[in-house]
Amino acid sequence: MKVKYCIVLGCPRSGTTFLMTALRALANSECISGLLIPVSIPHLVNYSLPDYIYNVLAFELEASLQNYLDSGIPSSRFSALHKWLKGYMSSQEFFQALQRKRVVERIIYKEPFLSFAPEFTYRALPDCRILHLYRDGRDCADSLIRTYDVLTDEKLMALNTSEMPIGRKYDERYVPWWVEEGREEEFLGSTPYVRAIWMWKEMVGRCHTFFSQPEVAQTGRVLLIKYEDLVSDSLKCGELIASHFGAKMNRQLQKQIKKAHPQSIGIHKRRNPKEIEEAERIAQAELKLYGYL
């Protein structure tokens, strides 16, 4: 059986981690977050690369997924036992795993920074199904700062973070490649929170530009899910996602996805109003595009 490739895209802190945890309950599925490909690849493919290099990187994405399948992890009895004890796997699938008869029908892979290169993902895996989970950029930025302390002046001193493995030197700091030429001083003069929403706007903007192309939209390969809908009507969204990935809602997935809650909606409102105003100025077009302004 040919394994289906399913890709989850979304700016970091858009709810993709919660979703991937829930999707571990899909029958005959393997969920993987990060790890398989270097995080620098989604950044690198935005440069004008020779075709042969671009093609090598595209090959590496599929090869990494195939290598995971061949690694023996999907057929691990220990892994199956862990999933069964955690409530992610049905007893029937667990017993199949014990007998080495479990069949993996799909790999669900999440790498948030692939949101910088949706066209690369789409073309590197020609038959893959893509889910783009998006969230209010003001909340994303707030969560990024509180959770990972991203894009501080200290972290801009070197090109060694997932947000900025590539950049250009400006004074003693670096400016990420995804900041427009001529706006270096504006970016460096902003707070980390505003810099974080700057990254969000670049990610969702690139996804919208590519996914809204008629020839892409008509394929049905891409599903857009709003985080706020996911946490407010989780069962409906879960049904849509399972169907999009060629699976069916089951009791295990229902139980996991019902853990969603809307408590983190609007968390940015605790921030300084002037900082929020500046963030809205930077990402105004994208916030409006996705219905947040």
Side-chain angles (χ1 to χ4, degrees):
M1 176 180 290
K2 185 177 180 181
V3 175
K4 300 181 180 71
Y5 294 140
C6 306
I7 307 297
V8 175
L9 301 184
C11 178
R13 309 307 297 172
S14 291
T16 55
T17 298
F18 164 76
L19 178 61
M20 288 294 288
T21 300
L23 289 176
R24 291 179 66 190
L26 276 182
N28 306 109
S29 303
E30 287 289 310
C31 292
I32 315 161
S33 295
L35 302 177
L36 292 187
I37 66 167
V39 73
S40 57
I41 287 182
H43 298 271
L44 188 60
V45 294
N46 280 280
Y47 282 75
S48 297
L49 302 174
D51 286 346
Y52 73 93
I53 293 180
Y54 188 94
N55 292 338
V56 165
L57 297 177
F59 165 79
E60 189 60 33
L61 177 56
E62 182 168 11
S64 296
L65 297 174
Q66 188 59 50
N67 287 341
Y68 177 84
L69 280 175
D70 296 338
S71 68
I73 297 175
S75 59
S76 165
R77 292 173 176 172
F78 178 80
S79 176
L81 175 62
H82 177 76
K83 290 179 69 174
W84 180 66
L85 291 174
K86 289 287 188 178
Y88 295 113
M89 183 179 283
S90 68
S91 295
Q92 179 183 6
E93 188 174 353
F94 173 59
F95 289 129
Q96 289 173 348
L98 292 181
Q99 298 168 4
R100 304 291 191 188
K101 294 180 180 180
R102 178 177 180 250
V103 176
V104 176
E105 296 179 358
R106 68 189 58 77
I107 286 184
I108 305 173
Y109 180 61
K110 181 200 80 167
E111 171 47 72
F113 289 94
L114 281 172
S115 300
F116 273 130
E119 68 286 350
F120 171 76
T121 308
Y122 183 89
R123 291 167 180 154
L125 303 170
D127 297 320
C128 75
R129 310 289 283 184
I130 296 175
L131 167 67
H132 180 212
L133 181 63
Y134 63 91
R135 180 187 183 186
D136 187 333
R138 297 166 298 184
D139 287 343
C140 266
D142 181 84
S143 187
L144 276 165
I145 295 302
R146 289 186 297 102
T147 307
Y148 298 122
D149 195 29
V150 301
L151 299 168
T152 60
D153 282 345
E154 181 182 2
K155 291 184 177 179
L156 295 182
M157 299 294 285
L159 298 172
N160 58 6
T161 64
S162 297
E163 294 76 25
M164 190 184 67
I166 303 173
R168 52 190 183 274
K169 195 72 177 287
Y170 198 93
D171 62 47
E172 73 279 9
R173 295 165 292 179
Y174 287 91
V175 174
W177 66 268
W178 37 265
V179 173
E180 305 94 312
E181 295 281 353
R183 300 186 70 180
E184 291 85 359
E185 290 189 11
E186 183 182 1
F187 178 82
L188 294 174
S190 300
T191 64
Y193 173 72
V194 174
R195 295 170 187 168
I197 203 172
W198 203 311
M199 183 177 75
W200 173 86
K201 86 177 182 70
E202 287 298 315
M203 285 184 165
V204 298
R206 289 166 189 269
C207 285
H208 179 268
T209 298
F210 182 70
F211 293 148
S212 62
Q213 294 179 19
E215 62 271 25
V216 175
Q218 290 169 7
T219 65
R221 287 176 54 192
V222 182
L223 175 66
L224 309 181
I225 293 287
K226 191 175 186 177
Y227 169 80
E228 290 78 7
D229 291 340
L230 176 65
V231 298
S232 300
D233 195 351
S234 58
L235 287 179
K236 179 180 178 181
C237 289
E239 289 274 9
L240 288 172
I241 294 168
S243 176
H244 183 65
F245 286 163
K248 294 181 179 179
M249 175 70 82
N250 57 27
R251 181 174 56 82
Q252 289 79 16
L253 179 56
Q254 284 182 344
K255 182 179 179 180
Q256 296 299 327
I257 207 160
K258 283 170 68 175
K259 294 178 182 178
H261 57 78
Q263 296 174 4
S264 60
I265 295 177
I267 57 173
H268 71 276
K269 294 177 182 178
R270 71 188 75 178
R271 304 194 74 87
N272 185 304
K274 289 186 177 180
E275 194 175 31
I276 296 173
E277 182 180 349
E278 177 63 10
E280 291 176 344
R281 181 187 70 82
I282 291 295
Q284 183 181 55
E286 289 75 19
L287 287 168
K288 285 185 176 180
L289 185 66
Y290 283 93
Y292 294 114
L293 282 182

